[in-house]
Amino acid sequence: MTETHRTDSIDPTTLPTTFVPVELEGELYVRWVDNGYFTADAASDKPAYAVVIPPPNVTGRLHMGHAYEHTQIDAITRRKRMQGYETLWQPGMDHAGIATQNVVERELAKEGLSRHDLGREAFEQRVWQWKAESGGAISDQMRRLGDGVDWDRERFTMDEGLSRAVQTIFKRLYDDGLIYRAERIINWCPRCATAISDIEVDHKDLDGELVSIRYGDGEDEIVVATTRAETMLGDTAVAVHPADPRYRDLVGREIELPLTGRRIPVVADEHVDPEFGTGAVKVTPAHDPNDFEIGQRHHLPSLTVMDEHAIITAPGPFQGLDRLEARNAVVAALRADGRIVAEKRPYTHAVGHCSRCGTVIEPRLSMQWWVKVAPLAKAAGDAVRDGRVAIHPPELAGRYFDWVDNLRDWNISRQLWWGHRVPIWYSPTGETICVGPDETAPEGWTQDPDVLDTWFSSALWPFSTMGWPDQTDSLAKFYPNTVLFTGYDLLFFWIARMMMFGIYATGRAPFETIALHGMVRDKHGKKMSKSFGNVVDPIDWMDAYGTDALRFALARAANPGTDAPIAEETVAGSRNFTTKLWNASRFALLNGATTSGPLPPTEDLSVTDRWILSRLNTVIAEVDNYFEDYQFAKLSDLLYHFAWDEAFDWYLELSKAVFAQGGSPAEASRRVLGHVLDTLLRLLHPLVPFVTEKLWTTLTGEESVVIAAWPQDSGFRDPDADADADATVAQLQQLVTDVRRFRSEQGVRSSQRVPAELDLAAALSDHEAAIRQLLRLDSPTADFAPTATLPIGDSRISLDLSQAIDVEAEKRRLEKDLAGALKEIEAAEKKLNNNAFLAKAPDDIVAGIRNRHQNAETAAQRIREQLATLLG
């Protein structure tokens, strides 16, 4: 990646006058991929830099969260590629078991079919067919976003190689006693008829009913409250706190369970909160996770009273009813029996819903496969504690430890047909074996019907995509990954699992750094949600403003670990920036900016040349620091202001006068301008790849900025000269800014030329032409009569505004404004000097008056200065 430049003249006409993103983006991306710029070579002797994409669901589409995350990962990897690293950004998709199965089942329903009509094998073929025809739309959208991934390495969690990895690690865990089968409470979706993970449960506040029910009679009477009255049919105890004096005599006795004819014990358990409700709770071990734990501690039976579709199975009048129908029927029966003590309606409480179909989930006792996580979680925690893995920002490490230090065993089985089949086989006599990837089950044995939780295969992603369990060149080169860049919301469900499996399978943590970003929110800070009606398709904003504009807006909102508000007006502002970049670059090219040859020696540079080169070196160093710290908002803001304010609004404008004069100073400034633009475009490329590619290749004539060298400090430094240049330009900027402000305050149009006499400080004496050009100031004529004089530092600017404004009318206006300000001061002082008023008035009223007094004082001072200026 040596930095070379062409020496022939640049033809600026190859750059269209108008920047139209859609005319550039598709063609440029295809060229990047076809030229292999994103292809990672495992045999390379370059240092490796590897990042895996958090695999999106095959059913998904690019949403704003993807665009936000991918922009940052792409920026990281593009920079590392330019720095000379063998850079791999690993792409791929997750098979998304339950989501994909639901999509295909809906398609079948349109044909009047169910998966059971097809049978398992034919249904799986139908899913593969759907994936080939309709799945993976997100891949095309990633190309639209400019993702620099190695498409030759694209993987899918159901690929043959990844499936082999899943089977391998399952068998190892099973053989090590870390996978077992047991009956436990799980999240159950009655519609999908499967266990689901915690992350697949959406908790929503619903209005329900809290009913208080009297169990037992007389001295055995005890009242419990519940929102799920139908589950009482499966109660096997009532629990109270052991220190609760109200129930001390009841503990150990049996009471009657209404409607059932059964008697159940009263048990003492510290889980019960004596301050909540009556201090007594019903215990339904088969239908509540906390009740299950109480049941285990007290050896209570677990009675399942619902089937997999949430239909009541308990014998009696409620059998065959849906759980919600049964709830109303049970309450009605209890009411008729005089057992309802109180009813609270509506009673708002959080209820879990299946995130895939919206059905209310049911805690259910079920025989499932589990991972024993304790030793795996300890290893995952130790890797962060001992510094092998860094979490960024560090303050989020506490959340990680809270999770891994308290992990419960992981339910890994799902009652689906789409996914990695559990590799357990059963003999006709009930024997069990685990079959590895190179093994075959005995004749006549049947395989377990369950599939594995999608997160099981996702947990292998950093190394299964590299060819594990084989010891491949890719695994040797790119594992462990350099960094994992993902949302803090996945810290628990995905990151912790990758850490556990990565260390177990390979002996090494899967990443050196875990960099966490926040969630994208709307401009009001509200979560983007279909229910809120504030979801934005990033493609819409890319169509309207260009991909670079969207990426830059997202990067400017990206602070590590915190949520990012995004608004359309921000994207529109970023489009203005990319347009400014285009127009300024085109202007520079038209004025002869060049990248040919070395920079001129220091003695041949003007003050402004030295200043911009000094600023450029500082910016390079700051950008590098921000990149290494994942401070995208800060580095974007830095580059925005350097480009717009310093490079274009100051240096480019100051150079116009030099270009007009010609000669060797103009040639030196053209070369400096070319160098600044060349460097700036390379610094900006990771964030706004399309516009910078077009501009940089036009400027330099080189093949692509994607494979250009990342900017380094030019070494063009002379501390004394730089300090002198900085001070001089600061004086010049102050002078121009103050005169512009004065013109604006007097109502002088920015395009209006005004005669002026300049008495400049010695440091600015060589810049008169530039100052006059920047401020639209003409030389004094024979009849020059100054109407305003501005002392600015050691300079003095005299202006003749007689042809630009009515000076006398302006004086009268200012005098009227001054009188108003003085009247406001007097009124405020009257109140502030009135002790009786101050004693009675509320603090906020007094503070408001003090504020008005201060503002009036400031206004009066400003007006006096303006009058003094006008009066000469």
Side-chain angles (χ1 to χ4, degrees):
M1 269 187 228
T2 56
E3 186 177 359
T4 58
H5 299 291
R6 69 179 187 184
T7 57
D8 57 312
S9 60
I10 297 166
D11 180 8
T13 61
T14 61
L15 205 58
T17 56
T18 305
F19 173 43
V20 184
V22 71
E23 294 179 359
L24 299 176
E25 295 169 357
E27 177 187 340
L28 290 178
Y29 190 82
V30 169
R31 186 165 66 84
W32 291 337
V33 173
D34 288 349
N35 287 345
Y37 296 155
F38 306 139
T39 301
D41 182 4
S44 167
D45 58 2
K46 297 177 183 177
Y49 191 91
V51 182
V52 294
I53 188 174
N57 287 351
V58 67
T59 58
R61 287 183 58 81
L62 189 76
H63 57 63
M64 200 59 76
H66 288 127
Y68 178 66
E69 180 173 86
H70 289 204
T71 291
Q72 295 172 76
I73 300 176
D74 193 47
I76 294 169
T77 51
R78 282 180 183 269
R79 172 175 173 262
K80 286 298 179 181
R81 194 174 289 112
M82 295 171 75
Q83 286 182 312
Y85 287 81
E86 193 62 40
T87 304
L88 168 62
W89 184 10
Q90 171 71 54
M93 287 181 293
D94 192 284
H95 66 277
I98 191 169
T100 306
Q101 179 158 317
N102 282 347
V103 168
V104 178
E105 285 195 88
R106 284 195 294 269
E107 293 294 318
L108 286 174
K110 295 175 184 176
E111 303 170 22
L113 299 172
S114 73
R115 61 183 165 112
H116 300 286
D117 294 323
L118 271 65
R120 184 162 192 153
E121 185 176 342
F123 177 76
E124 289 176 346
Q125 292 174 355
R126 183 66 178 260
V127 179
W128 281 107
Q129 179 185 336
W130 173 86
K131 178 191 180 286
E133 295 173 356
S134 306
I138 202 167
S139 295
D140 294 333
Q141 295 164 327
M142 287 169 58
R143 288 173 166 85
R144 178 73 190 276
L145 190 62
D147 286 0
V149 299
D150 185 347
W151 289 111
D152 293 339
R153 292 174 175 266
E154 186 176 13
R155 304 306 302 268
F156 181 56
T157 49
M158 289 285 286
D159 283 351
E160 182 180 349
L162 273 66
S163 296
R164 183 167 179 266
V166 167
Q167 200 172 351
T168 298
I169 199 166
F170 186 100
K171 181 168 175 58
R172 290 187 187 179
L173 289 163
Y174 181 84
D175 290 346
D176 286 345
L178 295 174
I179 284 182
Y180 63 95
R181 196 171 185 232
E183 196 173 40
R184 300 273 182 83
I185 290 283
I186 44 85
N187 299 313
W188 183 267
C189 175
R191 184 261 170 226
C192 299
T194 181
I196 61 175
S197 68
D198 289 340
I199 200 173
E200 292 166 325
V201 177
D202 293 335
H203 292 277
K204 304 175 185 176
D205 286 340
L206 295 183
D207 287 339
E209 180 181 26
L210 181 69
V211 292
S212 297
I213 309 168
R214 178 170 54 85
Y215 284 20
D217 293 293
E219 293 181 355
D220 290 346
E221 180 177 305
I222 194 167
V223 176
V224 300
T226 182
T227 58
R228 304 171 67 224
E230 72 282 3
T231 63
M232 68 164 291
L233 301 173
D235 285 358
T236 57
V238 170
V240 297
H241 194 276
D244 193 332
R246 294 171 293 179
Y247 305 114
R248 187 170 293 128
D249 293 341
L250 278 175
V251 174
R253 292 163 63 177
E254 289 189 343
I255 61 174
E256 182 182 346
L257 178 65
L259 305 181
T260 67
R262 291 190 289 113
R263 294 185 68 79
I264 58 176
V266 177
V267 300
D269 195 279
E270 292 188 351
H271 169 76
V272 180
D273 180 2
E275 303 299 323
F276 182 76
T278 64
V281 297
K282 58 192 286 302
V283 182
T284 320
H287 294 278
D288 183 275
N290 294 320
D291 292 4
F292 178 79
E293 298 295 335
I294 293 175
Q296 293 289 296
R297 287 193 289 271
H298 297 277
H299 308 291
L300 300 173
S302 297
L303 301 182
T304 299
V305 296
M306 293 181 218
D307 67 12
E308 65 270 22
H309 300 295
I311 302 299
I312 300 298
T313 57
F318 311 108
Q319 189 172 19
L321 294 179
D322 172 80
R323 58 182 165 167
L324 301 181
E325 296 173 330
R327 182 173 304 167
N328 294 330
V330 167
V331 171
L334 289 168
R335 190 182 297 114
D337 202 25
R339 294 285 175 177
I340 300 295
V341 176
E343 296 180 71
K344 184 176 181 181
R345 183 190 296 240
Y347 179 75
T348 304
H349 60 129
V351 178
H353 291 69
C354 175
S355 64
R356 304 303 178 188
C357 69
T359 302
V360 173
I361 65 107
E362 188 66 41
R364 186 169 190 264
L365 186 63
S366 178
M367 184 65 75
Q368 302 282 341
W369 287 98
W370 304 82
V371 171
K372 187 182 295 183
V373 299
L376 305 175
K378 182 181 184 303
D382 290 346
V384 175
R385 285 191 170 93
D386 63 23
R388 280 174 287 157
V389 179
I391 291 181
H392 188 280
E395 56 267 24
L396 291 183
R399 294 192 195 182
Y400 175 80
F401 294 131
D402 287 345
W403 182 255
V404 297
D405 292 347
N406 297 285
L407 266 180
R408 295 187 177 188
D409 286 359
W410 172 18
N411 167 218
I412 57 170
S413 48
R414 299 293 180 264
Q415 290 64 55
L416 303 170
W417 286 1
W418 173 244
H420 296 101
R421 191 90 170 260
V422 171
I424 295 291
W425 293 71
Y426 306 102
S427 74
T429 59
E431 296 173 274
T432 301
I433 60 168
C434 181
V435 176
D438 301 317
E439 300 171 346
T440 303
E443 185 105 12
W445 290 46
T446 58
Q447 188 171 4
D448 192 297
D450 288 353
V451 300
L452 292 167
D453 177 12
T454 297
W455 296 102
F456 191 94
S457 52
S458 299
L460 314 182
W461 189 250
F463 52 94
S464 64
T465 53
M466 308 291 179
W468 186 91
D470 295 334
Q471 296 304 307
T472 65
D473 291 342
S474 292
L475 194 66
K477 180 74 173 179
F478 298 115
Y479 184 88
N481 295 170
T482 313
V483 63
L484 172 71
F485 199 87
T486 191
Y488 62 68
D489 56 318
L490 292 179
L491 190 59
F492 317 130
F493 303 105
W494 186 43
I495 297 172
R497 285 161 166 73
M498 286 191 289
M499 288 286 285
M500 290 191 298
F501 277 11
I503 295 169
Y504 172 80
T506 72
R508 294 180 293 173
F511 330 102
E512 297 170 10
T513 299
I514 298 169
L516 300 170
H517 63 73
M519 311 285 285
V520 178
R521 297 184 177 271
D522 70 12
K523 63 181 178 181
H524 304 295
K526 200 171 185 179
K527 180 182 177 182
M528 286 191 173
S529 165
K530 290 181 181 177
S531 60
F532 295 150
N534 61 352
V535 172
V536 178
D537 186 338
I539 299 294
D540 291 342
W541 283 355
M542 284 191 269
D543 286 342
Y545 304 104
T547 297
D548 289 325
L550 175 66
R551 288 174 58 124
F552 199 64
L554 290 168
R556 292 192 79 182
N559 290 295
T562 60
D563 292 345
I566 188 71
E568 185 168 5
E569 49 265 37
T570 310
V571 184
S574 293
R575 168 61 194 266
N576 293 340
F577 175 67
T578 57
T579 300
K580 176 79 170 181
L581 195 63
W582 183 275
N583 292 339
S585 298
R586 193 170 188 279
F587 178 86
L589 289 168
L590 288 168
N591 281 273
T594 179
T595 59
S596 299
L599 285 169
T602 306
E603 58 270 18
D604 290 348
L605 297 179
S606 68
V607 167
T608 51
D609 290 336
R610 291 201 304 272
W611 166 74
I612 196 65
L613 290 173
S614 172
R615 286 293 303 129
L616 181 63
N617 283 335
T618 300
V619 166
I620 291 170
E622 291 178 351
V623 166
D624 279 332
N625 289 335
Y626 286 144
F627 256 118
E628 294 301 319
D629 201 35
Y630 309 103
Q631 296 280 359
F632 292 98
K634 290 181 179 179
L635 76 88
S636 302
D637 207 51
L638 172 68
L639 287 170
Y640 175 92
H641 288 292
F642 175 74
W644 195 305
D645 301 341
E646 297 180 284
F648 301 149
D649 277 1
W650 284 110
Y651 181 71
L652 201 60
E653 291 298 319
L654 289 168
S655 298
K656 288 179 182 178
V658 180
F659 295 155
Q661 290 173 355
S664 57
E667 289 304 310
S669 290
R670 289 187 180 101
R671 180 63 190 91
V672 170
L673 178 56
H675 174 75
V676 170
L677 192 54
D678 166 18
T679 305
L680 175 61
L681 292 171
R682 284 184 282 145
L683 290 172
L684 280 166
H685 174 71
L687 301 172
V688 285
F690 293 107
V691 67
T692 51
E693 171 77 342
K694 181 63 177 178
L695 294 175
W696 189 84
T697 53
T698 302
L699 173 70
T700 66
E702 296 297 322
E703 180 181 342
S704 174
V705 69
V706 177
I707 54 173
W710 180 252
Q712 296 180 337
D713 188 317
S714 66
F716 204 90
R717 289 185 182 275
D718 180 334
D720 293 335
D722 288 350
D724 177 62
D726 291 348
T728 299
V729 173
Q731 286 185 59
L732 191 151
Q733 290 173 325
Q734 185 65 53
L735 184 147
V736 171
T737 301
D738 286 357
V739 174
R740 282 176 172 168
R741 183 185 301 116
F742 175 77
R743 288 173 57 120
S744 175
E745 289 171 346
Q746 306 311 315
V748 179
R749 299 189 314 275
S750 59
S751 59
Q752 173 77 51
R753 299 199 69 83
V754 174
E757 192 172 73
L758 309 186
D759 181 11
L760 298 174
L764 303 182
S765 58
D766 292 337
H767 301 282
E768 180 170 345
I771 291 170
R772 288 189 178 278
Q773 182 165 314
L774 288 168
L775 293 172
R776 305 288 197 275
L777 301 180
D778 289 334
S779 298
T781 57
D783 57 351
F784 177 75
T787 56
T789 300
L790 285 73
I792 304 170
D794 294 333
S795 300
R796 190 177 181 86
I797 310 297
S798 299
L799 305 170
D800 181 355
L801 303 177
S802 58
Q803 300 302 311
I805 62 171
D806 185 333
V807 177
E808 291 304 318
E810 182 63 16
K811 289 179 186 177
R812 289 193 297 271
R813 183 186 70 80
L814 289 171
E815 287 166 350
K816 182 179 179 181
D817 290 347
L818 179 60
L822 294 174
K823 186 175 180 180
E824 176 71 15
I825 292 169
E826 183 181 4
E829 287 179 345
K830 235 178 222 186
K831 291 184 177 180
L832 294 173
N833 292 331
N834 185 336
N835 291 331
F837 169 78
L838 294 177
K840 294 178 181 178
D843 290 345
D844 59 329
I845 298 295
V846 175
I849 293 170
R850 292 188 193 280
N851 191 48
R852 289 203 305 274
H853 180 268
Q854 180 60 46
N855 290 342
E857 286 272 21
T858 302
Q861 180 61 28
R862 187 186 72 252
I863 296 167
R864 288 190 185 100
E865 291 173 356
Q866 289 178 274
L867 277 168
T869 300
L870 278 179
L871 293 171

